[in-house]
Amino acid sequence: MFDNIPFPIVVIQWDDASTDVGWEEIPKTIEPQVCVTIGFNIKETDDHVLIASTTDGHATNARIQIPKKMIIKMEVVKEKPA
């Protein structure tokens, strides 16, 4: 099923930015906004990981680029085919 897909599948837990709109009380604490992303690791540099949710092995769709400084944990679910 995945033999023709040239990318590993990964799960990334990462700390995202967050925003509020309007007048808000000053918070007593600031909590991390931890997200979990799963997808195809289509490209990785020293500073970033580029994940796609959909691929046909040549093109990708629904990509997210996550700075490595924001990554808490990254786990390989399925290795890249040999």
Side-chain angles (χ1 to χ4, degrees), residues 68-80:
K68 284 190 173 178
K69 289 180 180 180
M70 297 170 77
I71 294 176
I72 298 166
K73 181 179 180 182
M74 185 165 83
E75 182 179 332
V76 176
V77 175
K78 183 172 185 338
E79 295 286 341
K80 177 180 175 178

Side-chain angles (χ1 to χ4, degrees), residues 8 12-13 21 27 30-31 33 36 45 47 52 68:
I12 299 176
Q13 182 182 26
V21 177
I30 299 176
E31 300 297 325
Q33 300 298 308
V36 177
T45 68
D47 299 320
K68 284 190 173 178

Side-chain angles (χ1 to χ4, degrees), residues 33-51:
Q33 300 298 308
V34 178
C35 298
V36 177
T37 299
I38 185 167
F40 298 98
N41 183 347
I42 59 171
K43 191 159 185 89
E44 190 169 340
T45 68
D46 289 341
D47 299 320
H48 295 89
V49 178
L50 186 60
I51 304 299

Side-chain angles (χ1 to χ4, degrees), residues 1-57:
M1 175 194 256
F2 296 106
D3 294 339
N4 64 333
I5 304 300
F7 310 112
I9 299 172
V10 295
V11 176
I12 299 176
Q13 182 182 26
W14 56 287
D15 190 0
D16 196 4
S18 66
T19 185
D20 287 324
V21 177
W23 289 94
E24 302 285 340
E25 294 287 327
I26 297 171
K28 291 182 177 26
T29 62
I30 299 176
E31 300 297 325
Q33 300 298 308
V34 178
C35 298
V36 177
T37 299
I38 185 167
F40 298 98
N41 183 347
I42 59 171
K43 191 159 185 89
E44 190 169 340
T45 68
D46 289 341
D47 299 320
H48 295 89
V49 178
L50 186 60
I51 304 299
S53 70
T54 306
T55 185
D56 63 2

